[in-house]
Amino acid sequence: PGLSGIDLVTAVAHSHPHLPVIMSSGYFTPELQHQAAALGVRALVNKADLALQLPQLVHDVIQQVATQQSGH
């Protein structure tokens, strides 16, 4: 409460820079997309699609992190 999504992502990025983040919002503006990318957000998902897309996004992000950690 009291923080926007981008404010929360900023705080997480500063305190846990290696933590992969998936961001959900009801409305993604180009500016929000740019800010999220600059903060290292791994995926953006519309709140309306969250329940359907989140399991696959989490799987994809875990795969990305595993691939990066293995050096491939």
Side-chain angles (χ1 to χ4, degrees):
L3 291 178
S4 71
I6 214 67
D7 291 339
L8 178 59
V9 170
T10 300
V12 170
H14 289 306
S15 62
H16 298 83
H18 300 293
L19 182 68
V21 174
I22 296 171
M23 185 175 177
S24 174
S25 178
Y27 182 70
F28 287 111
T29 63
E31 180 182 354
L32 180 63
Q33 292 171 338
H34 176 73
Q35 290 174 319
L39 290 167
V41 171
R42 301 286 183 125
L44 300 171
V45 61
N46 189 294
K47 282 185 181 178
D49 302 324
L50 186 62
L52 293 174
Q53 292 185 1
L54 189 60
Q56 184 63 50
L57 288 172
V58 169
H59 177 268
D60 293 347
V61 168
I62 290 170
Q63 290 296 104
Q64 290 171 5
V65 170
T67 299
Q68 290 172 348
Q69 288 178 349
S70 69
H72 293 108

